[in-house]
C-alpha cells in the first residue's frame, strides 16, 4: 500500500511538472507586436484590439485584430471582420473624409487568435486636423447583429516614402506601395508590391491587370543589379517578385506599370 501511495504521489508531481513545462512553451501570439488601440463594439458585447508589427507609417502596414467577449473576456476566434480606414480632415472650418486601400481577413476564423489584415495609408495622420481611424465591423458567429467601432490609428510619415499615388494615361488613379516580407539583406530579396485602383474617395479595388518591370539602381554609384524577378500578380492586389541588392547603401527601384500598350513609371528610394 505504501508503494502505491508513493507511486500516486510521484505521478502527481510528474503531471504537475509537465503542465508547468507546457505552460512555459505557450507563446503569446501578440508577442513582438505593438498594440495600437482598442474600442468596444456596442450591441454585440465585443472588445476589439488593433495590433501591428510596429508603429504605423504611410505605406503598407500589416495589421491584426484581436476580439474578446466584453463580459467573459474570452477570446473570440470565429467572426466576420471588415475594416475601413478613414481619414478625417478639418480645413478652414470644413470637415472632409476619405479612405485608403485595405486588405480584409481572408477567413472568418482567427489565425492563432488573431485576424490578419492590412492597410495602405496614403498620408500621415497624427494631429487634430488630420487623423486616421480604422472602422471595424464585426459579426460574431451565431449572432445576427453586427457591431461597429472606430479604433484610433496614429500614422507617421515613412522616410523614404513607401507609397506613391499616380494617375495613369488611361485615367486610373492608383495607389502603389512596396514592402519586404523579411528585412532586406545583400543578395536576392523577396519583394512585394500592392496596387489598388481608386473608385471614389471611400472605396478602392485591387488592380490585377498590370505588367510590372523593376529596375534597381544605385544612382550615386552608377550601377544596377542583375537577376531581378519582375513582380507578378497573385491576389488581393499583391504582386510578388525578387530584387537583388549587391551592396548596402542608397538604392532606387524604378517601376514600370504597363497595361493595354500604355506604360506608367514611378520609383521608390530606400536605404539599407
Amino acid at each position: 500500500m505504501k508503494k502505491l501511495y508513493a507511486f500516486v504521489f510521484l505521478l502527481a508531481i510528474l503531471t504537475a511538472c509537465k503542465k508547468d513545462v507546457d505552460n512555459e512553451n505557450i507563446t503569446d501570439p501578440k508577442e513582438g507586436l505593438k498594440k495600437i488601440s482598442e474600442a468596444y463594439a456596442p450591441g454585440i458585447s465585443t472588445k476589439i484590439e488593433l495590433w501591428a508589427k510596429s508603429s504605423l507609417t504611410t505605406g503598407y502596414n500589416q495589421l491584426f485584430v484581436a476580439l474578446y467577449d466584453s463580459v467573459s473576456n474570452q477570446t473570440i476566434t470565429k467572426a466576420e471582420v471588415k475594416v475601413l480606414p478613414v481619414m478625417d480632415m478639418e480645413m478652414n472650418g470644413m470637415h472632409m473624409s476619405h479612405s485608403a486601400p485595405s486588405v480584409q481577413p481572408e477567413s472568418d476564423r482567427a489565425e492563432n487568435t488573431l485576424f490578419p489584415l492590412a492597410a495602405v495609408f496614403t498620408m500621415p495622420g497624427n494631429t487634430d486636423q488630420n487623423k486616421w481611424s480604422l472602422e471595424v465591423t464585426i459579426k460574431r458567429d451565431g449572432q445576427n447583429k453586427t457591431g461597429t467601432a472606430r479604433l484610433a490609428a496614429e500614422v507617421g510619415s515613412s522616410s523614404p516614402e513607401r507609397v506613391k499615388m499616380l494617375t495613369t494615361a488611361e485615367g486610373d488613379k492608383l495607389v502603389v506601395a512596396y514592402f519586404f516580407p523579411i528585412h532586406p539583406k545583400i543578395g536576392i530579396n523577396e519583394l512585394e508590391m500592392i496596387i489598388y485602383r481608386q473608385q471614389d474617395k471611400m472605396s478602392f479595388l485591387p488592380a490585377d491587370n498590370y505588367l510590372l518591370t523593376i529596375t534597381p539602381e544605385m544612382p550615386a554609384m552608377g550601377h544596377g543589379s542583375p537577376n531581378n524577378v519582375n513582380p507578378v500578380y497573385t491576389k488581393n492586389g499583391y504582386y510578388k517578385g525578387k530584387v537583388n541588392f549587391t551592396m548596402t547603401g542608397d538604392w532606387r527601384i524604378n517601376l514600370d506599370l504597363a497595361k493595354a500598350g500604355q506604360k506608367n513609371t514611378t520609383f521608390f528610394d530606400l536605404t539599407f
Side-chain angles (χ1 to χ4, degrees):
M1 184 63 70
K2 290 183 179 180
K3 289 183 179 180
L4 178 60
Y5 286 150
F7 174 76
V8 172
F9 180 71
L10 179 60
L11 182 61
I13 292 176
L14 291 175
T15 302
C17 290
K18 183 179 184 303
K19 288 182 178 179
D20 289 340
V21 171
D22 289 343
N23 289 335
E24 290 177 0
N25 291 334
I26 295 175
T27 302
D28 184 352
K30 298 185 291 295
E31 184 176 340
L33 300 180
K34 177 183 177 66
K35 187 176 181 180
I36 304 301
S37 60
E38 67 176 47
Y40 289 86
I44 60 170
S45 302
T46 302
K47 182 175 76 169
I48 306 171
E49 293 182 351
L50 179 64
W51 294 77
K53 292 185 176 181
S54 60
S55 297
L56 305 182
T57 59
T58 50
Y60 179 86
N61 293 263
Q62 176 72 66
L63 304 173
F64 304 89
V65 163
L67 302 178
Y68 302 91
D69 186 282
S70 58
V71 177
S72 66
N73 204 37
Q74 292 294 308
T75 302
I76 298 169
T77 58
K78 189 174 183 183
E80 294 178 13
V81 179
K82 295 183 180 180
V83 298
L84 178 70
V86 179
M87 161 58 73
D88 289 304
M89 305 174 65
E90 299 290 340
M91 185 178 298
N92 299 325
M94 297 180 61
H95 178 266
M96 296 176 288
S97 296
H98 66 80
S99 186
S102 58
V103 182
Q104 307 299 321
E106 293 188 359
S107 172
D108 62 356
R109 294 183 181 274
E111 297 180 14
N112 198 14
T113 74
L114 298 175
F115 294 87
L117 54 114
V120 182
F121 295 110
T122 52
M123 62 180 288
N126 48 20
T127 68
D128 290 338
Q129 289 73 36
N130 300 300
K131 53 187 176 183
W132 285 100
S133 61
L134 208 66
E135 185 177 283
V136 183
T137 300
I138 306 296
K139 183 178 183 297
R140 292 175 55 170
D141 184 46
Q143 293 187 1
N144 293 323
K145 295 191 301 182
T146 61
T148 300
R150 282 278 193 102
L151 285 83
E154 185 173 311
V155 178
S157 296
S158 57
S159 182
E161 191 58 78
R162 298 185 295 113
V163 60
K164 294 289 182 71
M165 290 175 286
L166 57 98
T167 301
T168 70
E170 304 82 28
D172 289 340
K173 295 181 179 180
L174 301 182
V175 176
V176 184
Y178 81 92
F179 65 98
F180 296 102
I182 302 175
H183 189 74
K185 64 183 187 307
I186 294 177
I188 302 293
N189 294 269
E190 299 289 336
L191 171 69
E192 294 198 36
M193 293 190 169
I194 185 167
I195 305 176
Y196 270 66
R197 183 176 67 255
Q198 184 176 0
Q199 293 290 97
D200 54 51
K201 67 178 184 177
M202 297 303 292
S203 61
F204 296 78
L205 293 176
D208 59 359
N209 50 0
Y210 282 89
L211 294 177
L212 305 186
T213 302
I214 57 170
T215 308
E217 64 170 329
M218 296 192 81
M221 304 294 289
H223 68 76
S225 66
N227 304 321
N228 299 284
V229 178
N230 292 324
V232 296
Y233 187 75
T234 56
K235 61 180 180 179
N236 297 332
Y238 290 104
Y239 292 74
K240 292 186 178 182
K242 295 182 180 181
V243 61
N244 183 18
F245 295 132
T246 54
M247 60 184 293
T248 58
D250 296 329
W251 284 86
R252 172 170 291 178
I253 300 177
N254 297 292
L255 174 65
D256 293 342
L257 305 91
K259 185 182 77 168
Q262 300 290 330
K263 185 172 71 172
N264 304 274
T265 62
T266 188
F267 64 87
F268 294 99
D269 289 329
L270 65 142
T271 302
F272 83 99

